[in-house]
Amino acid sequence: MYSSSIADAPLVREPLHAPVAHLIRGGMTEGIHYGSVVVLGADGEVQFQLGDIEAAFYPRSALKPVQAVAMVRAGLPLDGELLSLTAASHSGEERHLAGTRRILDIAGLTEDHLRNVVDMPFDPVVRDTWVREGRAPSRLAQNCSGKHAAMLYTCVLNGWSLDDYLDPGHPLQQAIAEIVEDLTGQRIARVTIDGCGAPLFSVSLHGLARAAARITTTAPGTPEARVADAMREHAEMASGAGRDVAALMRAVPGLLAKDGFEGVQVAALPDGRAVAVKIADGANRARVPVAAAALAWAGVDPELLTEFQGEALLGGGQAVGCVRPVRSLEPVVVSACA
């Protein structure tokens, strides 16, 4: 299905994004969200594309399942909810903090070893509770702490240094970069620093979809399958209660899904069908309905996706419109505000 050779890095250029969703209010187009979308068939071939799927871009946290696979290949022995947390952009709920502490405890480390940024919980309800209780921001609460704890544990297992584990030249990050190139099938175009402080590798949207498909189609027991199984079985540990990405994995049997800041979404089915979305302006309100439309285009039963058509636009407290994917992206179902 996929070539074992690694293609050249995608070009670094201004992406040629296209309209992917319309903001409809009162039956009129009030705004347009631009972006890019790719749908892969079970054979790995592109079945649908819109915008620019080959330009270099930053997948942000949508790359975390690939990072988790790299750590498992490097010896990380976690499974279940702790492996799901390794690939998480978590909400900062108590279970996420407790899970991160457990990973650190297993590694013989403490929160002081973490080098991710200090932050408040990602979930607004949890964050508001912290503010009312007078709790201070912490590295543990930051949404990438599970990944960072697992990175440290991987370093301990391999005898790698801890203080500089976020340096792009560190053995851990070099191992992760190698697996990014392996699973995406292309060289990394650029390396920068993600919001949490970890190295961030630039690939193409096409490459991101390819990586997700390769993760979901490997044999049981492989590092890829272990990560996919953990995230699907413990979706709330990879995100949080009430998060759309967890709801999406619950709604579609066998689906692996991961979101990322700046409007990125990737999802793949066990047979290799996969979608990847980038919303140019980073808007979550477009990410969700566009991703749902792409999954319907890939053959997912539209009835399973009805709750992901996007939030209603309000006028005076009443629904007066919605965010509707462009017609070319909705061959099966059209949003209610059409």
Side-chain angles (χ1 to χ4, degrees), residues 173-260:
Q173 302 304 335
Q174 291 294 300
I176 291 174
E178 180 181 346
I179 304 308
V180 169
E181 293 187 336
D182 177 30
L183 294 181
T184 63
Q186 59 190 180
R187 299 296 179 194
I188 293 167
R190 292 278 177 87
V191 181
T192 188
I193 305 301
D194 209 343
C196 66
L200 176 61
F201 305 106
S202 175
V203 293
S204 70
L205 196 67
H206 187 182
L208 178 64
R210 187 162 46 231
R214 293 186 68 179
I215 288 173
T216 59
T217 55
T218 56
T222 60
E224 292 89 339
R226 285 170 56 190
V227 170
D229 289 345
M231 292 181 68
R232 289 183 295 219
E233 293 169 12
H234 303 276
E236 286 78 9
M237 284 298 280
S239 54
R243 295 273 291 281
D244 57 74
V245 69
L248 191 59
M249 285 193 278
R250 289 195 303 268
V252 181
L255 186 72
L256 174 70
K258 185 68 186 77
D259 54 346

Side-chain angles (χ1 to χ4, degrees), residues 261-310:
F261 280 155
E262 298 303 321
V264 182
Q265 178 76 58
V266 67
L269 292 155
D271 64 1
R273 286 175 291 161
V275 306
V277 171
K278 164 64 180 175
I279 305 301
D281 63 2
N284 269 330
R285 70 178 181 185
R287 172 184 59 82
V288 177
V290 170
L295 285 168
W297 214 105
V300 173
D301 183 353
E303 292 297 320
L304 300 176
L305 301 167
T306 53
E307 68 175 292
F308 306 103
Q309 292 184 354

Side-chain angles (χ1 to χ4, degrees), residues 67 69-75 150-180 188 199 201:
Q67 293 172 309
V69 168
M71 285 185 267
V72 174
R73 287 197 190 182
M151 284 181 170
L152 285 165
Y153 187 13
T154 304
C155 290
V156 169
L157 292 167
N158 286 276
W160 295 331
S161 58
L162 301 182
D163 289 345
D164 59 343
Y165 75 94
L166 296 183
D167 189 314
H170 189 279
L172 170 69
Q173 302 304 335
Q174 291 294 300
I176 291 174
E178 180 181 346
I179 304 308
V180 169
I188 293 167
F201 305 106

